[in-house]
Amino acid sequence: MERTITFDGDPNIGVFARVLGDIAIIPPEAPEDFKAAIKAALGVTLVETTVQGSSIIGSLVAGNSRGMVVSGLATEEEIDILSQHREVLLLTESMNAAGNVIMANDSFAAVHPDMPSDLREAIGEFLGVETIALVLGGVKTVGMAGVATNKGVIVHPRATDRQLEQLEKIAQVPVGTGSVNMGSGLVGTGLLVNELGYIAGNATSGFELGRIEDVFGFLE
């Protein structure tokens, strides 16, 4: 099975899609080869919609098996589509690019360190998880500096030992560092993964793919 793909020639596949366990949210204009590759690799149901009229779904949606957090600029029609698959919480404040500022699984949510504490608590209560404000390798947009599933968490290779220790305490799954697309530490921009499988941007090297497989437990 192919382990890499592009979105219409762009290896930053995590910008255009968001995987939440058994579903993958993708823009309606996603190429057919992209749709087929995600379904084959991850075994997901595809949910086709824009968010706030945009195709950068990965930057605007975050969540877990219990719910999804979505930009407050999403339209009623978009919210209706998403709410058929998860409960929806809208981020109506200025920090509304949910996929950029939140990394979550069913045990924890790491959020942008400048997020107001009351908003962080509301997100934790909605998703049913413990929350932590975190920087990863100097990057505050934790939703793009890391990717979490219920089997593992991979984060920016410049994440410090202290940051990794903080994550390990709260994540309840293995935590490791890695990169995508020939050295990008913003792993969320180039990786889609769930408990069943993964797929990465096509510039991702064999070494990087091996690291992904190791962290998420896909090595045989």
Side-chain angles (χ1 to χ4, degrees):
M1 180 185 296
E2 288 293 325
R3 287 302 183 186
T4 64
I5 192 67
T6 69
F7 186 97
D8 201 19
D10 191 330
N12 296 303
I13 60 174
V15 173
F16 299 101
R18 174 63 64 182
V19 175
L20 303 177
D22 61 351
I23 65 171
I25 307 162
I26 62 172
E29 70 271 22
E32 289 301 320
D33 64 337
F34 183 78
K35 296 177 185 178
I38 289 179
K39 288 184 71 173
L42 307 179
V44 289
T45 298
L46 298 182
V47 180
E48 298 186 33
T49 181
T50 54
V51 175
Q52 65 183 55
S54 174
S55 62
I56 55 169
I57 305 298
S59 295
L60 301 173
V61 178
N64 60 16
S65 68
R66 302 183 186 99
M68 66 178 78
V69 186
V70 180
S71 166
L73 298 177
T75 67
E76 288 187 12
E77 181 180 357
E78 292 165 345
I79 295 166
D80 285 344
I81 293 170
L82 295 172
S83 63
Q84 294 175 32
H85 302 273
R86 295 284 193 277
E87 294 293 321
V88 173
L89 174 68
L90 297 178
L91 289 190
T92 56
E93 301 187 24
S94 58
M95 193 176 289
N96 60 20
N100 286 347
V101 299
I102 303 167
M103 173 179 64
N105 68 7
D106 286 348
S107 299
F108 82 99
V111 304
H112 193 295
D114 298 333
M115 180 179 287
S117 58
D118 58 341
L119 179 56
R120 187 182 86 194
E121 292 170 4
I123 290 169
E125 182 175 353
F126 174 73
L127 295 177
V129 297
E130 190 175 354
T131 63
I132 183 174
L134 196 63
V135 177
L136 290 169
V139 179
K140 293 183 177 182
T141 50
V142 290
M144 288 300 163
V147 180
T149 75
N150 293 331
K151 290 181 66 176
V153 182
I154 193 166
V155 300
H156 198 293
R158 292 202 302 269
T160 66
D161 290 343
R162 169 65 174 158
Q163 291 162 359
L164 294 174
E165 287 172 4
Q166 288 178 289
L167 263 182
E168 287 169 349
K169 287 181 180 178
I170 195 173
Q172 302 180 26
V173 292
V175 177
T177 59
S179 59
V180 293
N181 290 328
M182 291 299 291
S184 173
L186 297 176
V187 288
T189 65
L191 176 63
L192 300 172
V193 60
N194 63 8
E195 287 76 20
L196 299 179
Y198 75 93
I199 195 161
N202 78 331
T204 304
S205 69
F207 176 82
E208 289 171 327
L209 293 175
R211 184 64 183 147
I212 291 165
E213 292 177 353
D214 184 26
V215 170
F216 289 102
F218 294 127
L219 290 175
E220 293 181 0

